[in-house]
Amino acid sequence: GLIDTDGCFYKEIHKIKNRVYENLCIDFTNRSIPLLNFVYDILCELRLQPSRYGWKIRIQKKSNVLGYMKKIGVSNIKHSIKFEQHYFNSKN
């Protein structure tokens, strides 16, 4: 539920050696340090390799985003659509 309300899915696009890579990432943003610590610890326990940037926790690697969707999932239809559009319609 936390990603559904305080999180977002977004496409990260970067270029390495003239090849363009598109990855779907998950960000969770909150100003509560105890809540951020809790979310980070749970994601680590689930072996989803989160990164922490200030008030954000991010899941970037494709296998970890897929793992999040399999282990936790989302109820927010906007996130479901973005996930499906990226993973079922992309060439990555």
Side-chain angles (χ1 to χ4, degrees):
L2 292 173
I3 299 296
D4 288 331
T5 57
D6 294 332
C8 70
F9 280 63
Y10 68 95
K11 190 183 298 187
E12 178 184 63
I13 301 171
H14 59 278
K15 191 174 182 179
I16 300 174
K17 295 184 180 180
N18 295 323
R19 182 163 180 207
V20 176
Y21 295 88
E22 295 181 3
N23 298 310
L24 189 65
C25 300
I26 301 172
D27 266 9
F28 172 73
T29 304
N30 199 285
R31 293 286 180 160
S32 168
I33 298 299
L35 182 58
L36 286 169
N37 290 339
F38 172 76
V39 170
Y40 182 82
D41 291 344
I42 293 296
L43 294 174
C44 286
E45 285 178 27
L46 293 172
R47 298 176 190 234
L48 297 176
Q49 299 177 321
S51 301
R52 189 147 175 202
Y53 303 93
W55 305 108
K56 295 181 187 268
I57 295 173
R58 183 172 295 153
I59 301 172
Q60 292 174 288
K61 193 174 175 185
K62 181 177 182 176
S63 62
N64 293 324
V65 172
L66 288 170
Y68 179 88
M69 293 302 285
K70 287 179 185 175
K71 294 174 183 178
I72 299 171
V74 293
S75 298
N76 185 324
I77 192 71
K78 177 179 73 174
H79 297 329
S80 295
I81 290 169
K82 211 172 250 191
F83 173 79
E84 289 175 13
Q85 285 176 341
H86 182 76
Y87 279 106
F88 299 114
N89 296 327
S90 73
K91 296 176 185 173
N92 293 342

